[in-house]
Amino acid sequence: MSEYNAKKIKGTSGEWDIVIGLEVHAQVTTNLKLFSNGAADFRKEANQKLDLLDIGLPGTLPVINSMAVDQAIKTGLALNATINKKSIFDRKNYFYPDLPLGYQISQFKDPIVSEGYINIDISEDKTKTIKIERLHLEQDAGKSLHDQSPDKTFIDYNRAGVALMEIVSYPDLSDWVEAGDYLTKLRSILRFANTCDGNMEEGSLRCDANVSVRKPKESLGIRCEIKNLNSIKNLMKAIEYEANRQVKSLESGNKIVQETRLFDTNSGKTKTMRSKEEAHDYRYFPDPDLLPLEISQEEIGKIKSLIPELPDELKNKFIETYKLSNYDASVLTAEKQTSDYFNETINSDPELKNYAKIVVNWITSELFSLLNKNNQDLNNS
């Protein structure tokens, strides 16, 4: 891994810094939804196995899913964060046709997790710490289907009420490569902790990117939010385009308008979706049907004892035990099934421990190549 310097945008007036913060929505690994007995598996036939609360029928009351709470605590601990012993659920008021209640139950001022961090590799021997502002629990919305009819929109409520963890970073990321590395690392941690499957193709992990540009050492610029990025590659492409767009606009004498944008994968460009809402637009207030969530230190300790070895811990072990490079150890710990396969292979014969580098090379070249050729991974090989 060569030395890495954050990328700058080179404009006609000189270089510009990029400032990026990510909001990641991770579907919690649990069988039931956040506040109802509806099944959390949204992949079923549309509008199947819904609970009365999921479709917003009057008189229905939310009841917290304790497993989702435990998974949020577990994730917070894996992210080196503080678990808040008292947190509050709020109503976030806005209307979408696929949000049956007419509001979303979320957390605003008092989230369940705050002030964490993860480290990303920026060179062979250097890491960068990306601070995490908060992790809060909230309901997912349903899904509007616009391609089933030329003149109608259909709604699938299967996803309505599914438990999400929204993980919000500080604006510590400096270019699209760092953003891609951060999301890759975060997804890996979630998978190792078994709190989210990280499947971006199916929508169980989604990302919004807040992007702004500024001249070096100047104050933060106006940010634009790019919504619903569903792959790491698209995240990186969207940020690169948006940062360049903002620089060109500013150097042409225009102002950046704070807004929400979408990324068009066909054109490779971002486009305006709507003006950006602020917190006061949502009229947050504590949900009157839910008591404050109180968590004991004993409960936190029990959950902490269940956390398996995480990527950084495993990476350091591989480096120390098998004298692997930082790069090789990082490749092995990017996915849990890869590190598990390496461990099983290296422990299958005492002699192999003396040839760890050869085993790594075989896994990352011959084996990965064969799996890709047959459209398989280590889970189904």
Side-chain angles (χ1 to χ4, degrees), residues 1-71:
M1 190 180 297
S2 60
E3 184 72 22
Y4 172 75
N5 294 311
K7 292 174 170 53
K8 310 283 187 180
I9 302 295
K10 293 182 179 179
T12 56
S13 62
E15 288 189 334
W16 295 74
D17 290 337
I18 314 168
V19 181
I20 305 159
L22 298 186
E23 300 173 9
V24 177
H25 296 82
Q27 182 183 329
V28 181
T29 299
T30 179
N31 291 330
L32 299 178
K33 295 183 178 180
L34 185 54
F35 296 110
S36 80
N37 286 320
D41 187 359
F42 58 85
R43 303 167 185 85
K44 300 179 183 298
E45 183 181 350
N47 298 311
Q48 296 297 307
K49 297 191 175 179
L50 297 175
D51 189 78
L52 298 179
L53 180 73
D54 303 335
I55 52 177
L57 290 185
T60 54
L61 294 173
V63 178
I64 188 69
N65 177 348
S66 61
M67 177 65 177
V69 173
D70 289 351
Q71 293 285 60

Side-chain angles (χ1 to χ4, degrees), residues 88 90 107-111 134 284:
I88 294 173
D90 301 282
Q107 295 184 306
F108 180 44
K109 290 184 178 179
D110 299 286
R134 58 191 283 136
Y284 284 99

Side-chain angles (χ1 to χ4, degrees), residues 149-312:
S149 167
D151 57 358
K152 294 183 179 68
T153 292
F154 294 91
I155 299 177
D156 179 6
Y157 287 130
N158 278 351
R159 207 169 202 144
V162 165
L164 296 180
M165 297 179 287
E166 181 170 348
I167 303 167
V168 182
S169 81
Y170 281 99
D172 289 345
L173 297 158
S174 302
D175 69 17
W176 52 90
V177 175
E178 286 186 11
D181 289 343
Y182 168 83
L183 186 54
T184 299
K185 183 67 169 289
L186 177 58
R187 183 177 64 174
S188 178
I189 291 170
L190 295 173
R191 284 176 165 172
F192 272 76
N194 194 31
T195 57
C196 173
D197 65 24
N199 192 327
M200 299 190 75
E201 294 78 13
E202 293 185 349
S204 52
L205 189 72
R206 308 182 313 262
C207 184
D208 303 335
N210 291 290
V211 181
S212 65
V213 297
R214 65 179 176 185
K215 286 289 187 154
K217 299 183 180 179
E218 289 188 356
S219 58
L220 292 174
I222 301 296
R223 62 186 171 90
C224 293
E225 182 183 33
I226 313 169
K227 293 288 288 185
N228 295 329
L229 297 163
N230 63 355
S231 77
I232 293 170
K233 182 183 293 185
N234 286 339
L235 169 72
M236 295 171 67
K237 287 181 177 179
I239 292 173
E240 182 178 8
Y241 174 83
E242 178 60 22
N244 278 282
R245 182 195 72 83
Q246 291 184 23
V247 167
K248 289 177 182 177
S249 181
L250 289 168
E251 291 191 330
S252 298
N254 301 314
K255 291 184 178 180
I256 300 300
V257 178
Q258 185 169 322
E259 62 181 356
T260 299
R261 300 177 69 87
L262 293 175
F263 179 62
D264 186 328
T265 56
N266 294 320
S267 66
K269 298 178 180 180
T270 63
K271 58 184 180 181
T272 298
M273 178 184 179
R274 62 175 181 262
S275 60
K276 174 61 179 171
E277 298 91 344
E278 298 289 357
H280 64 262
D281 294 322
Y282 294 120
R283 305 184 307 283
Y284 284 99
F285 63 86
D287 192 302
D289 294 327
L290 289 162
L291 292 170
L293 183 62
E294 297 186 355
I295 303 164
S296 68
Q297 187 60 48
E298 180 183 11
E299 187 176 359
I300 295 171
K302 286 180 181 178
I303 294 171
K304 188 173 184 177
S305 69
L306 301 175
I307 297 177
E309 287 182 304
L310 296 171
D312 283 349

